[in-house]
Amino acid sequence: DMFKAYNGIIVPQLFGFLSIVFLVVGLLLTGINIIVTQKSSSFLKDIALGLAASVFLGLGSFFLLQWCGIYV
């Protein structure tokens, strides 16, 4: 009993919910970035929205893979 199984911080039952939430937020931020860019282009605003959208889409993709059983 020296070795114990590793239990992650996030419960695996939440993977589906987290993936959907992160992907929806990332897609919304992407849409907002497109709309804002059409009206007025600001380099810093584009970079900030793009960075936030990519982080949320990346986390959503990660939890989607976890939910499907592909552990990375």
Side-chain angles (χ1 to χ4, degrees), residues 2-69:
M2 202 171 159
F3 299 105
K4 294 176 77 175
Y6 175 75
N7 292 329
I9 298 171
I10 300 172
V11 182
Q13 287 81 13
L14 290 177
F15 289 162
F17 174 74
L18 289 174
S19 68
I20 291 170
V21 168
F22 282 135
L23 288 172
V24 166
V25 171
L27 289 174
L28 286 174
L29 286 174
T30 302
I32 290 171
N33 192 10
I34 292 170
I35 292 170
V36 167
T37 303
Q38 287 177 352
K39 292 182 180 178
S40 64
S41 63
S42 169
F43 181 71
L44 290 176
K45 194 181 293 185
D46 287 344
I47 293 296
L49 280 173
L51 180 67
S54 67
V55 166
F56 278 105
L57 287 172
L59 284 171
S61 300
F62 174 75
F63 282 113
L64 183 64
L65 288 171
Q66 298 288 313
W67 189 26
C68 293

